[in-house]
Amino acid sequence: LRAYAKPLCTVPPEASVFDALHILAKHGLGALPVIDAQGKLVGIVSERDYTRKVALQGKNSRETPVLDIMTREVMVVSPATRALDCMALMSTRNIRHLPVMDGDKLVGVLAIRHLLDEIIAEQQYTIEQLESYIHS
């Protein structure tokens, strides 16, 4: 899963939502880990957070800090977590992004599209192996 967890972009909790949106747009991301001054993961902020907690409530993204809209209860996985396990977690929790933690260190963020690509590649490999076995 490490290959899908790069590049790593983060945002501090005191940053404006507007600034976070610029980072998301610049890097084509759907969510950003929120890292405090001590380097600790304290939340995650997503496009979904923006639409539901800023745009739909008539708040100003330039004046609203990320701290006010971020998701604080963040589900995380390790680099060793299997793609199917990540997908199951995302499905049951209705989330689209999972921070990847190696101990206390944030090493990346997985998006659901990364997991779909991984699962499809694994299934394609299995199909090719079965076809090869059948034809031999």
Side-chain angles (χ1 to χ4, degrees):
L1 295 177
R2 251 183 231 277
Y4 295 109
K6 310 278 181 182
L8 183 58
C9 297
T10 64
V11 66
E14 62 276 1
S16 72
V17 170
F18 186 81
D19 290 339
L21 291 172
H22 272 282
I23 296 168
L24 290 170
K26 179 179 178 182
H27 297 283
L29 302 171
L32 289 171
V34 182
I35 304 296
D36 68 11
Q38 291 74 38
K40 181 181 176 199
L41 177 68
V42 294
I44 191 164
V45 63
S46 68
E47 295 168 327
R48 185 188 285 184
D49 290 323
Y50 166 73
T51 58
R52 293 180 181 179
K53 299 173 186 173
V54 177
L56 289 176
Q57 293 184 14
K59 295 180 180 177
N60 184 326
S61 64
R62 291 181 191 269
E63 297 171 3
T64 304
V66 167
L67 179 68
D68 288 357
I69 70 162
M70 70 183 190
T71 300
R72 295 170 191 270
E73 302 283 327
V74 182
M75 300 301 306
V76 300
V77 294
S78 78
T81 307
R82 295 178 332 132
L84 285 173
D85 294 333
C86 292
M87 184 64 88
L89 179 62
M90 292 172 103
S91 179
T92 58
R93 301 293 181 132
N94 193 29
I95 55 177
R96 296 178 183 163
H97 300 89
L98 279 174
V100 180
M101 301 289 291
D102 192 357
D104 289 338
K105 183 180 179 198
L106 177 69
V107 294
V109 177
L110 287 170
I112 199 162
R113 70 178 179 272
H114 300 139
L115 296 172
L116 289 172
D117 290 346
E118 180 77 17
I119 290 167
I120 289 169
E122 286 176 8
Q123 290 178 346
Q124 184 62 38
Y125 176 76
T126 301
I127 290 168
E128 290 170 2
Q129 293 298 309
L130 289 171
E131 287 175 342
S132 176
Y133 176 75
I134 290 169
H135 296 297
S136 60

